[in-house]
């Protein structure tokens, strides 16, 4: 992985409590899974979104960074959580809000 890209991802996920690497942006999600992840996260606080479609290096790089093959990808307090399916499971179990509230502890 390009060290500059890794540094960019490190900075992004550590600078925002909730980061969503998604297809499209908050105003115009480009896939249903990204839209669903955003919908689950928005009530929990500000969501910093990164449009992976804007840069092919980011689109592939984030998959390498997390070792996770799909988009969207969610980071909460600098830690990789997963994609929309995992978010949905956490929300259904009532655990998603706790992850955000815990402040990365």
């Amino acid at each position: 992985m390009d060290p500059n890209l890794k540094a960019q991802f490190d900075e992004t996920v550590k600078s925002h409590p909730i980061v969503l690497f998604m297809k499209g942006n908050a105003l115009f999600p480009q896939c249903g899974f990204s839209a669903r992840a955003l919908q689950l996260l928005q009530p929990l606080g500000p969501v910093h979104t990164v449009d992976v479609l804007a840069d092919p290096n980011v689109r592939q790089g984030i998959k390498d960074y997390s070792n996770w093959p799909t988009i969207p990808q969610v980071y909460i307090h600098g830690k990789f959580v997963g994609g929309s399916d995992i978010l949905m499971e956490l929300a259904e179990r009532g655990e998603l809000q706790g992850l955000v509230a815990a402040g990365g502890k």
Side-chain angles (χ1 to χ4, degrees):
M1 162 172 263
D2 177 328
N4 293 330
L5 195 55
K6 182 185 182 310
Q8 177 185 330
F9 292 146
D10 285 342
E11 177 66 24
T12 299
V13 302
K14 291 175 183 166
S15 298
H16 307 278
I18 304 172
V19 180
L20 174 61
F21 289 86
M22 63 183 289
K23 294 179 180 175
N25 59 50
L27 295 176
F28 194 59
Q30 295 288 305
C31 94
F33 295 109
S34 291
R36 183 70 183 136
L38 186 63
Q39 186 178 44
L40 290 168
L41 292 168
Q42 282 180 320
L44 305 178
V47 179
H48 178 78
T49 61
V50 178
D51 182 358
V52 301
L53 298 178
D55 183 343
N57 292 325
V58 170
R59 185 176 186 171
Q60 183 55 47
I62 195 60
K63 294 176 186 179
D64 297 338
Y65 181 76
S66 64
N67 197 28
W68 188 261
T70 58
I71 304 292
Q73 294 190 11
V74 176
Y75 289 79
I76 296 177
H77 300 295
K79 295 180 182 169
F80 177 64
V81 175
S84 61
D85 52 344
I86 291 174
L87 275 188
M88 188 68 162
E89 290 173 19
L90 290 169
E92 286 173 355
R93 293 195 311 247
E95 297 173 13
L96 185 57
Q97 188 170 3
L99 272 179
V100 175
K105 295 176 184 149

